[in-house]
Structure formats: structure tokens, C-alpha cells
């Protein structure tokens, strides 16, 4: 079974509680009110790991241990804003080169299809993070 990456925009005030009690993250994310907001959830699917690998601009996430997730990272609101700024200056050619290098290493399947999916995901990620930054939300990557 392939891991699925789910990206959540969460209240920066709730983030403090997650870091104190990581087991509280899963019940929080299950609440339908959290999932109903605009840009509150982005499904990254199985390409989450490849996308994070080719976007070192987002490498400053804080790992959270003690959750039922396979992996969990958080970005406080200030790091979300910093990530948005770093992604804004990322050149499309550089991004394409990173994807091609990933495919050349055999870390992805069909090169053209993978490129299309990663370009689409990157555009969605930019919009998601921009909206979260405007709301001063924290962001949580939850891998199940």
C-alpha cells in the first residue's frame, strides 16, 4: 500500500497543543469542521515524498513523534510565510530540472506523467500555502 500525504492548514494556536500532546492531532483532524474550511486540506497522494524531496524550500518542517501517522511534520505560521516567499522565487526551469533528476535516479515512474503530476501538485501547494499564510495558519503534513 502506498503512503498518502495529507496537508492541513490548522490554527496556529492549536499547534502549541499538538507539540505538547502529539496524540491529540489525529482526533483534531478527524473533526469535520476542520476539513470543511477553504484550503484546509490538500491531498498530496502518493507523490508527497517526491514533491517534498524536490522542494528543499520547505525542508524546515518540525517532525512530530507520537502520532498514529507514519510521518508527521508541522510548519508554524512564520515558517509557512517563509516557505511561500521561497517558493515564489523558485524558477520553473529549476523545478523542472529537479523533477528530471528525480526521474533519472529512478525515484519516479513515467517521466512525462510524473512531471505533469508534480507540476500540478506544486501549483496546488503554492496556492494552499499562500492561503494558509494569509490566514496566519500553521501547516501540518500527515502521512497515512
Amino acid at each position: 500500500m502506498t503512503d498518502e500525504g495529507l496537508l492541513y492548514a490548522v490554527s496556529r494556536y492549536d499547534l502549541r497543543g499538538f507539540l505538547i500532546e502529539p496524540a491529540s492531532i489525529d482526533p483534531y483532524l478527524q473533526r469535520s469542521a476542520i476539513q470543511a474550511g477553504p484550503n484546509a486540506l490538500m491531498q498530496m497522494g502518493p507523490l508527497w515524498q517526491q514533491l517534498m524531496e524536490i522542494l528543499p524550500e520547505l525542508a524546515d518542517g518540525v517532525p512530530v513523534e507520537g502520532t498514529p501517522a507514519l510521518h508527521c511534520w508541522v510548519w508554524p505560521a512564520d515558517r509557512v510565510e517563509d516557505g511561500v516567499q521561497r517558493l515564489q522565487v523558485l524558477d520553473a526551469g529549476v523545478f523542472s530540472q529537479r523533477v528530471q533528476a528525480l526521474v533519472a535516479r529512478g525515484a519516479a515512474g513515467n517521466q512525462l506523467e510524473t512531471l505533469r503530476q508534480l507540476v500540478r501538485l506544486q501549483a496546488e501547494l503554492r496556492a494552499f500555502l499562500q492561503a494558509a499564510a494569509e490566514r496566519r495558519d500553521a501547516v501540518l503534513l500527515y502521512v497515512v
Side-chain angles (χ1 to χ4, degrees):
M1 185 166 170
T2 305
D3 301 345
E4 297 283 328
L6 302 169
L7 201 61
Y8 292 90
V10 297
S11 164
R12 65 186 179 275
Y13 303 111
D14 292 335
L15 179 62
R16 191 172 324 154
F18 297 158
L19 296 176
I20 294 168
E21 184 55 51
S24 69
I25 293 174
D26 196 57
Y28 176 90
L29 297 178
Q30 298 304 318
R31 293 190 347 226
S32 61
I34 299 304
Q35 299 174 5
N39 297 313
L41 170 64
M42 178 183 163
Q43 295 182 347
M44 297 173 71
L47 289 177
W48 71 271
Q49 194 167 11
Q50 288 88 349
L51 186 62
M52 298 309 287
E53 182 180 333
I54 60 177
L55 291 175
E57 292 81 3
L58 302 177
D60 60 348
V62 178
V64 179
E65 301 295 328
T67 72
L70 297 173
H71 305 285
C72 183
W73 292 273
V74 296
W75 287 263
D78 60 334
R79 290 190 184 182
V80 172
E81 290 178 9
D82 293 345
V84 167
Q85 291 173 359
R86 289 189 298 263
L87 286 176
Q88 285 176 342
V89 297
L90 176 61
D91 180 73
V94 171
F95 180 76
S96 179
Q97 289 173 349
R98 291 177 185 175
V99 172
Q100 290 172 12
L102 178 78
V103 171
R105 287 194 316 268
N110 178 317
Q111 182 176 4
L112 184 57
E113 183 57 30
T114 300
L115 177 60
R116 286 180 184 151
Q117 289 177 346
L118 288 171
V119 166
R120 179 188 53 77
L121 273 174
Q122 187 228 25
E124 289 177 22
L125 179 62
R126 283 180 185 229
F128 179 89
L129 293 175
Q130 180 66 42
E134 288 171 5
R135 293 187 306 266
R136 297 274 307 139
D137 283 347
V139 170
L140 180 122
L141 174 57
Y142 205 70
V143 180
V144 292

